[in-house]
Amino acid sequence: MGGCFSKPKPVEVKVEVVLPEKEREKEEMSPNGKASPLAYKANGTTRHYHHEERPINLNPYTNPKDMVEASVCHVKDLENGQMREVDLGCGKALLIKQNGEYYAMGHKCPHYGAPLVKGVLSRGRVRCPWHGACFNIVTGDIEDFPGLDGLPKFQVKIEKERVYIRASKQALQSQRRTKVMAKCIALSNYSTAITNMLIIGAGPAGLVCAETLRQEGFSDRIVICTSEKYLPYDRSKLSKSMDSQAEQILLRSKEFFHTYDIEVLTESQVVNVDTKSKMVVFKDGFRMEYNKLLIATGSTPKTLTCKGKELDNVFTIRTPEDANRVVKLATSRNAVIVGASFLGMEVAAYLCEKAHSVSVVELENIPFKKFFGEKVGLAIMKLFESNRVKFYMQTEVSELREQEGKLKEVVLKSGKVLRADVCVIGIGASPTTGFLKQSGVTIDSKGYIPVNKMMQTNVPSVFAAGDVVTFPLTFRNNKKVNVPHWQMAHMQGRIAALNMLAQGTEINTIPYLWTAMFGKSIRYAGNGEGFDDVIIQGDIEELKFVAFYTRRAVRSLYPNSKMTSLVDQWRNDEVIAVASMNYDPIVSKVAEVMASGKAIRKRDVEMFVRHCKTGDISWLTGKGS
């Protein structure tokens, strides 16, 4: 069995708490706000540290020469509910005023560097305008995803009606902060075949689960196993930035995993799980016992069934090597993409400037029709056509023809024959759950693992997260859904970790996704499955628009009336999703409304957009309707 790290020798366990910032007072507060010693579990036993025996805090920001203090504004310059990006001379900070109090923290989202001043401030947190990550304004902690790190928090003081910020130069430069984590200086006196927490899958769900366990003070053994040969990496970039090398898109460095004693076993595929004996079996025959198990194996790309499907230059994009080879084979040649999925369209967009020709074959008549609707799908299609992409719609591949062992033509059922030097298949994916058939874990007819809001399966000690699960989505009246989004995998991994520690935390987040094509981004929040209508504001031809997806509300506008007009029913339809191009931060604003429990009705869409343009965020407050 492969492995990133060598197998540990049996030694005594020691526990250290690593504090990346001077936040001891905050971290010492219990949930009820009273001071309490930090408690960590070592080998399953809770230990309380007294102040005199705490591990030494090696705080990199305590050097006075590293600190800077600056007056940034007058107290009257900022109203309640406002944010301002301020310059401290050696870096910038985000200054916030809410409920009469001032807060300061990093000004860029650690995920992709979005300016948070253009985001949404609501309910004690700031939501990123680009991808929806949320940060607590008091602590700087990340509360919703994507991304792994929180924001550095800075001191604010008021003197003579001036607002001053005191900050570390290093923190101003880094604009990110890793949350406090426990770790084991040496692994516990275990055999290598025994672990406390076992995580199958090294995607965002698995990684966030492992990090959350450490953040919550868990100090026993954690093992992540993956069938791939790399540490966890950003798979979403494989179709958006196809030239990227694996080392460039790693989510965490090898040193990070060593520091926090998170073991990663690479090239280690699990082929069987026995939940009664709490044992997994690897492909090479190695067996490992566990106490709690997370299944986060993601999905496997679907393939064609026609002749020629196994030719060397026919790809599903699954690894960095796949993406790199596609770019090399497509450069100055002919590329055919089968499937106008997110992956397929992103690959087509990326190859446009490199390939001689790019063709997309799709069974539907309009790309993204079921997801974005007909009008948005057509606008995207025109964008691609203006960039030399040729579409072959309402047809399928009947054969992949070869010449001297290499793909040369793609034959369509319509009779059209396309020249092809490389072919990428993007027709969807199936959950990777085949190894669970005899495990005792319930699998539905489509191969998904049903979980509750705590990400728990029918087996109490087994949890699941990411693309493999269906779960109750709160804002859709607990409808069981599968949401294969990057952001959702992060959140599900965190919720799973909290409940592996028996914290009883339920998931309550709004799905958020994005895609990038030709330098333009589409942002999307909610869950539009089964939408009845699409309300578009803005100019869709100019690709500056916002689309609201609505569905007939469960409740009537007049619940006590026997007769309700069709107009009233139409006006009362509820917004269940939103998509936009060049309309930031409206998607993040809608996501925040949904997260607060407040519904947006079809009758209110136009007014909502008008308020968002003026910066009025009053829609983001109040009780749900």
Side-chain angles (χ1 to χ4, degrees):
M1 179 170 61
C4 176
F5 307 129
S6 60
K7 295 179 181 178
K9 298 179 181 179
V11 289
E12 291 183 358
V13 68
K14 295 182 181 179
V15 178
E16 179 183 14
V17 181
V18 180
L19 300 176
E21 264 192 59
K22 189 176 181 180
E23 294 187 323
R24 176 170 292 178
E25 291 183 3
K26 171 175 70 69
E27 296 294 339
E28 288 172 2
M29 301 302 288
S30 65
N32 62 12
K34 298 180 181 180
S36 171
L38 290 174
Y40 294 97
K41 290 184 178 180
N43 300 333
T45 303
T46 301
R47 181 178 179 191
H48 294 270
Y49 283 102
H50 298 288
H51 291 285
E52 62 273 13
E53 65 168 332
R54 288 182 185 279
I56 297 173
N57 174 16
L58 300 177
N59 186 349
Y61 304 142
T62 55
N63 185 350
K65 293 182 180 180
D66 183 49
M67 304 302 293
V68 61
E69 184 174 304
S71 170
V72 293
C73 70
H74 191 276
V75 291
K76 294 182 179 179
D77 289 344
L78 218 59
E79 298 293 333
N80 270 323
Q82 288 187 336
M83 302 184 288
R84 175 179 292 188
E85 199 174 271
V86 296
D87 197 333
L88 277 69
C90 59
K92 295 181 179 180
L94 183 68
L95 180 64
I96 301 165
K97 185 177 182 181
Q98 191 165 68
N99 299 325
E101 297 289 334
Y102 291 89
Y103 307 91
M105 59 187 188
H107 72 107
K108 287 184 178 181
C109 179
H111 181 226
Y112 279 5
L116 292 175
V117 70
K118 295 182 179 181
V120 182
L121 174 63
S122 175
R123 301 183 297 131
R125 65 185 191 177
V126 176
R127 185 182 284 269
C128 172
W130 291 358
H131 306 133
C134 297
F135 303 91
N136 187 293
I137 65 173
V138 176
T139 65
D141 289 346
I142 186 169
E143 293 186 342
D144 206 336
F145 301 89
L148 298 171
D149 293 320
L151 295 168
K153 186 73 176 64
F154 308 130
Q155 297 176 13
V156 181
K157 67 177 182 179
I158 310 297
E159 284 187 4
K160 297 180 180 179
E161 297 191 321
R162 299 289 302 177
V163 180
Y164 291 80
I165 294 177
R166 188 170 189 268
S168 153
K169 296 177 184 178
Q170 184 176 337
L172 286 169
Q173 293 299 317
S174 71
Q175 289 293 317
R176 63 179 62 237
R177 176 183 59 84
T178 301
K179 194 175 180 181
V180 175
M181 291 193 193
K183 71 167 190 172
C184 296
I185 295 176
L187 292 170
S188 55
N189 190 19
Y190 276 150
S191 157
T192 56
I194 300 174
T195 185
N196 201 314
M197 300 291 187
L198 178 60
I199 299 168
I200 307 176
L207 177 58
V208 171
C209 177
E211 290 197 21
T212 302
L213 289 171
R214 288 287 186 244
Q215 291 166 1
E216 294 298 311
F218 183 79
S219 57
D220 215 321
R221 191 180 184 201
I222 300 174
V223 174
I224 299 175
C225 58
T226 173
S227 59
E228 295 200 51
K229 62 182 180 180
Y230 299 112
L231 292 171
Y233 63 88
D234 190 343
R235 192 185 301 277
S236 70
K237 290 185 177 179
L238 295 185
S239 55
K240 298 180 176 72
S241 181
M242 299 178 69
D243 279 317
S244 297
Q245 302 299 306
E247 295 75 18
Q248 297 173 314
I249 58 176
L250 293 179
L251 295 172
R252 292 294 195 193
S253 68
K254 185 175 181 178
E255 290 71 28
F256 176 91
F257 293 99
H258 276 299
T259 298
Y260 297 108
D261 292 318
I262 298 171
E263 298 173 72
V264 183
L265 304 181
T266 57
E267 298 179 282
S268 302
Q269 182 181 354
V270 173
V271 295
N272 185 264
V273 176
D274 185 341
T275 56
K276 291 183 178 179
S277 62
K278 293 189 173 182
M279 174 85 70
V280 302
V281 180
F282 291 87
K283 190 174 183 179
D284 64 358
F286 183 75
R287 296 171 181 267
M288 182 176 286
E289 295 180 32
Y290 64 85
N291 182 30
K292 297 286 179 64
L293 174 67
L294 175 71
I295 301 165
T297 43
S299 55
T300 302
K302 293 180 180 178
T303 59
L304 297 177
T305 58
C306 64
K307 181 181 178 181
K309 64 179 181 178
E310 296 182 2
L311 291 173
D312 285 345
N313 39 353
V314 177
F315 294 86
T316 56
I317 305 295
R318 184 63 185 170
T319 67
E321 288 84 2
D322 291 337
N324 297 165
R325 283 195 64 199
V326 166
V327 173
K328 184 176 180 180
L329 290 169
T331 300
S332 301
R333 296 179 182 176
N334 305 296
V336 174
I337 317 300
V338 181
S341 60
F342 281 102
L343 182 142
M345 295 290 274
E346 288 172 356
V347 169
Y350 190 85
L351 293 180
C352 268
E353 293 184 359
K354 300 179 181 295
H356 172 70
S357 70
V358 177
S359 303
V360 175
V361 179
E362 169 58 34
L363 188 59
E364 295 289 336
N365 64 328
I366 297 172
F368 300 125
K369 182 178 179 179
K370 292 181 179 179
F371 196 88
F372 287 132
E374 186 171 325
K375 290 182 179 179
V376 175
L378 278 173
I380 296 171
M381 189 173 180
K382 289 180 181 179
L383 170 65
F384 275 72
E385 289 174 332
S386 69
N387 283 276
R388 301 187 306 109
V389 175
K390 179 71 175 177
F391 286 93
Y392 298 88
M393 308 302 286
Q394 294 181 286
T395 188
E396 297 178 86
V397 175
S398 63
E399 182 184 355
L400 299 173
R401 288 180 181 167
E402 66 173 297
Q403 182 178 337
E404 297 179 354
K406 294 183 180 180
L407 175 71
K408 278 300 176 184
E409 293 177 334
V410 174
V411 183
L412 306 182
K413 288 186 177 180
S414 62
K416 184 72 176 178
V417 178
L418 308 178
R419 292 182 61 187
D421 298 291
V422 62
C423 180
V424 176
I425 312 302
I427 56 175
S430 302
T432 308
T433 55
F435 67 101
L436 296 171
K437 287 183 179 179
Q438 306 299 321
S439 66
V441 175
T442 297
I443 306 294
D444 71 16
S445 60
K446 294 182 179 180
Y448 294 108
I449 305 171
V451 295
N452 58 23
K453 288 188 178 183
M454 294 187 290
M455 311 315 297
Q456 190 174 40
T457 71
N458 62 301
V459 181
S461 62
V462 179
F463 298 77
D467 293 5
V468 297
V469 306
T470 59
F471 71 104
L473 186 59
T474 301
F475 98 100
R476 288 296 306 270
N477 297 313
N478 296 320
K479 179 181 179 179
K480 279 272 190 176
V481 296
N482 170 253
V483 183
H485 301 166
W486 191 248
Q487 166 262 351
M488 186 59 71
H490 284 70
M491 179 58 83
Q492 290 177 346
R494 174 167 175 76
I495 297 300
L498 295 176
N499 292 304
M500 290 166 85
L501 296 174
Q503 293 192 15
T505 305
E506 294 187 346
I507 190 168
N508 185 11
T509 186
I510 303 300
Y512 203 116
L513 70 88
W514 70 97
T515 184
M517 305 162 183
F518 304 110
K520 302 181 184 297
S521 291
I522 302 177
R523 318 207 192 281
Y524 180 97
N527 179 267
E529 186 177 323
F531 67 86
D532 299 315
D533 197 9
V534 185
I535 309 300
I536 295 176
Q537 297 284 304
D539 192 336
I540 197 166
E541 296 296 326
E542 294 296 322
L543 300 179
K544 186 176 183 179
F545 67 90
V546 54
F548 292 84
Y549 300 86
T550 64
R551 183 169 174 79
R552 188 61 44 82
V554 175
R555 293 175 294 168
S556 167
L557 182 63
Y558 306 107
N560 297 322
S561 173
K562 294 182 180 179
M563 298 293 292
T564 303
S565 72
L566 292 177
V567 173
D568 287 335
Q569 289 180 9
W570 183 91
R571 286 166 52 82
N572 200 41
D573 285 0
E574 185 175 332
V575 173
I576 56 175
V578 61
S580 80
M581 290 184 74
N582 297 308
Y583 232 90
D584 292 339
I586 196 163
V587 170
S588 286
K589 289 191 175 186
V590 173
E592 200 59 30
V593 172
M594 291 175 171
S596 72
K598 185 178 175 69
I600 302 173
R601 303 295 181 191
K602 182 181 286 189
R603 64 179 182 270
D604 299 323
V605 164
E606 187 175 340
M607 184 179 296
F608 181 89
V609 174
R610 187 164 61 246
H611 277 256
C612 287
K613 285 182 178 179
T614 62
D616 183 352
I617 61 170
S618 60
W619 283 84
L620 304 181
T621 59
K623 298 179 180 180
S625 57

